[in-house]
Amino acid sequence: MTTSRSTPPRGGTAGAARGRSAAREPRPAYQCDACGHQPPKWVGRCPECGEWGAVVESTVTGPTVSGRVVSSRMPTEPARPIATISAAPARAVPTGVSELDRVLGGGLVPGAVVLLAGEPGVGKSTLLLDVAQHWAVGAGSPSLVVSGEESVSQVRLRAERMGTLHEQLYLAAESDLASVLGHLDAVKPGLLVLDSVQTISTTGTEGVPGGVTQVRAVTAALVSVAKERGIATVLVGHVTKDGQVAGPRVLEHLVDVVLHFEGDKHSSLRLVRGVKNRFGAADEVGCFEMHEGGISSLADPSGLFLTRYAEPVPGTCVTVAMEGRRALVTEVQALIGATVAGSPRRTVSGLDSARLAMVLAVLQRRTERLTLHDREVFAATVGGIRVVEPAADLAVALAVASGGLNLAIAPHLVAIGEVGLTGEVRRVGAVPRRLAEAARLGFKVALVPTGCGPASTGAGPEHMRVTEVTDVRSALHHAARASAE
């Protein structure tokens, strides 16, 4: 007897496959909480950033649009000619902190979101508490400081020490995004300071607080609220070991302004450097000084980087460094140690060690009287400032030569220029601005590269003799002549 085999209806197999695909569970995926990398399977160490234990499981449901054509709809607000749009809502409101306003381009724009990143303990919370107090006093609207790392009592103690108590300054300690939004509804501030964005989490998003997913979701929500309500928002961000902003790179793209707060814990100098600014220049630098009473702006910080001597001292030379658009007169010091066997030490503080090694090699090769290959060399800047631009090469060379030959350089002389491997002095930028700052502080002699003096540019500071030098040897000759006068 022949058994007939039942044949499935046409399309049954494909229909069953489609049914199984539709009912398929969301596939597991893995994502690094430190950098956002998505490896194909779980690994103990992220192959992108190298963090151990940062890869966690997340659920991916697939794309929401599967090749369908998205139909158009009526926009909520029609497009208008650009000439009919008012720019008044985007005018900056001064914060009352002059150096921060300088970096921001005049102040905080209502609805703008600013990301301030810096190392722990550098003074971010202190600076922003001062900003919040000035806003409460002068802006006509309340300011709200939300701390996810400290209690309100701890913030109150700092405010008492700084003298920043004001009835329009509100404090809250929260770590949940919904609670932060509730405080915004209750206070209706004009300025929100969130310290820090890595400590805030939301229950509707997977991941741990501070992870990539959480930081992205929290920042996107705060940006949306800030734009909708016109609240100037400052987010405090952590930094990695390399000094970069912690979290996903999309965080820097979401905000309007990115600022870096820099400074050495052992120095009172602090710098706020603009990295991104949609409302002004992105290369401005603000200078601050930390003290027991808090933090204060330094409108003229050049005096911090100079040492006044009763008599000229060998091993020193003054240059003018550019921090953004600001010219800072800076002193470079060098100490030449005794002759040692083997490899002598080359120690720097505030300078680039690679450029110092190059300058030493040029002095050894291009001058006759200096022998440096077997002697220890120590070089540093004054006041905690870090100078890594090539324009300081000539001052470093003169300071080393002055210390090696035990000949003091005239205290009223500044040296500006990049030193090449053949000993030539190359041109650098912003020389007129550097010379004007040096002349304002009373310097009378300047050594600059060829083509940068008044004879070439057609203008120069009054009461200052500017000499163009072609190489290190001629710079040493002119420096010695200026010292003998």
Side-chain angles (χ1 to χ4, degrees):
M1 184 176 62
T2 304
T3 305
S4 61
R5 180 177 299 175
S6 60
T7 304
R10 183 176 297 178
T13 303
R18 286 195 297 269
R20 290 193 300 270
S21 176
R24 183 178 299 168
E25 295 290 333
R27 60 183 179 87
Y30 303 94
Q31 186 179 41
C32 175
D33 249 347
C35 67
H37 177 66
Q38 296 180 346
K41 62 179 182 178
W42 184 89
V43 289
R45 183 180 184 183
C46 175
E48 185 70 20
C49 65
E51 283 289 327
W52 286 95
V55 178
V56 297
E57 183 177 346
S58 61
T59 303
V60 178
T61 58
T64 57
V65 180
S66 303
R68 297 193 300 269
V69 177
V70 180
S71 59
S72 63
R73 64 179 180 182
M74 185 62 65
T76 57
E77 185 177 351
R80 293 179 294 166
I82 189 172
T84 64
I85 300 175
S86 174
R91 301 295 183 190
V93 179
T95 64
V97 181
S98 59
E99 287 299 297
L100 183 62
D101 290 341
R102 176 192 183 110
V103 181
L104 293 173
L108 288 170
V109 176
V113 181
V114 179
L115 176 63
L116 177 66
E119 296 183 356
V122 74
K124 302 184 297 295
S125 302
T126 303
L127 173 64
L128 293 181
L129 187 60
D130 190 34
V131 171
Q133 189 266 343
H134 280 87
W135 182 281
V137 172
S141 59
S143 58
L144 173 62
V145 177
V146 179
S147 176
E149 301 177 346
E150 297 178 289
S151 66
V152 291
S153 299
Q154 291 174 318
V155 180
R156 162 66 191 244
L157 288 176
R158 183 187 299 115
E160 286 183 354
R161 186 180 73 250
M162 297 173 56
T164 55
L165 299 178
H166 194 271
E167 60 181 5
Q168 288 291 91
L169 173 57
Y170 291 82
L171 299 178
E174 297 290 349
S175 59
D176 181 69
L177 178 61
S179 300
V180 174
L181 298 180
H183 285 296
L184 293 179
D185 295 334
V187 178
K188 294 180 173 57
L191 171 65
L192 169 65
V193 175
L194 189 64
D195 187 9
S196 65
V197 68
Q198 276 86 5
T199 61
I200 307 299
S201 62
T202 175
T203 56
T205 305
E206 297 180 354
V208 298
V212 173
T213 308
Q214 286 283 343
V215 170
R216 184 187 295 116
V218 169
T219 305
L222 291 173
V223 169
S224 177
V225 172
K227 303 297 183 185
E228 179 184 351
R229 305 185 186 183
I231 304 174
T233 304
V234 181
L235 307 178
V236 177
H238 297 166
V239 296
T240 62
K241 296 179 180 178
D242 298 331
Q244 303 297 323
V245 180
R249 295 291 297 183
V250 70
L251 181 64
E252 300 181 41
H253 296 290
L254 286 174
V255 300
D256 301 301
V257 182
V258 180
L259 305 178
H260 278 243
F261 200 26
E262 306 171 357
D264 188 358
K265 296 180 181 179
H266 306 290
S267 173
S268 62
L269 177 67
R270 299 290 186 270
L271 299 178
V272 175
R273 191 184 307 274
V275 178
K276 170 188 175 182
N277 193 350
R278 290 174 177 168
F279 312 107
D283 58 350
E284 278 288 0
V285 174
C287 297
F288 299 86
E289 183 180 14
M290 290 288 294
H291 45 79
E292 294 181 358
I295 190 169
S296 58
S297 299
L298 283 177
D300 187 11
S302 292
L304 291 176
F305 316 128
L306 295 174
T307 304
R308 301 298 181 183
Y309 302 99
E311 296 291 337
V313 179
T316 66
C317 187
V318 177
T319 187
V320 185
M322 293 299 299
E323 286 288 350
R325 298 183 177 184
R326 167 173 278 170
L328 300 177
V329 179
T330 306
E331 180 181 341
V332 178
Q333 298 180 345
L335 176 64
I336 310 302
T339 303
V340 296
S343 300
R345 286 185 295 176
R346 306 284 192 254
T347 304
V348 298
S349 176
L351 296 169
D352 187 0
S353 58
R355 300 207 68 85
L356 174 65
M358 184 199 70
V359 169
L360 295 180
V362 171
L363 290 175
Q364 173 78 29
R365 187 71 175 85
R366 305 300 174 186
T367 58
E368 297 84 4
R369 300 173 56 188
L370 281 174
T371 303
L372 301 170
H373 68 278
D374 56 351
R375 303 183 68 178
E376 294 181 336
V377 178
F378 305 89
T381 57
V382 174
I385 188 173
R386 180 166 175 79
V387 180
V388 295
E389 62 171 338
D393 289 350
L394 185 58
V396 174
L398 293 180
V400 171
S402 172
L405 300 175
N406 199 28
L407 296 175
I409 293 179
H412 56 268
L413 179 144
V414 295
I416 304 167
E418 178 184 357
V419 175
L421 292 179
T422 60
E424 81 279 11
V425 179
R426 300 174 180 171
R427 298 181 62 177
V428 295
V431 173
R433 191 177 305 172
R434 299 174 196 258
L435 294 178
E437 178 66 14
R440 186 181 69 85
L441 294 180
F443 290 87
K444 296 180 174 56
V445 180
L447 303 181
V448 299
T450 302
C452 297
S456 302
T457 61
E462 296 182 1
H463 310 296
M464 173 178 277
R465 188 178 77 232
V466 181
T467 303
E468 298 182 357
V469 294
T470 57
D471 52 23
V472 174
R473 187 177 302 176
S474 63
L476 292 175
H477 171 73
H478 286 289
R481 189 176 66 178
S483 302
E485 294 177 353

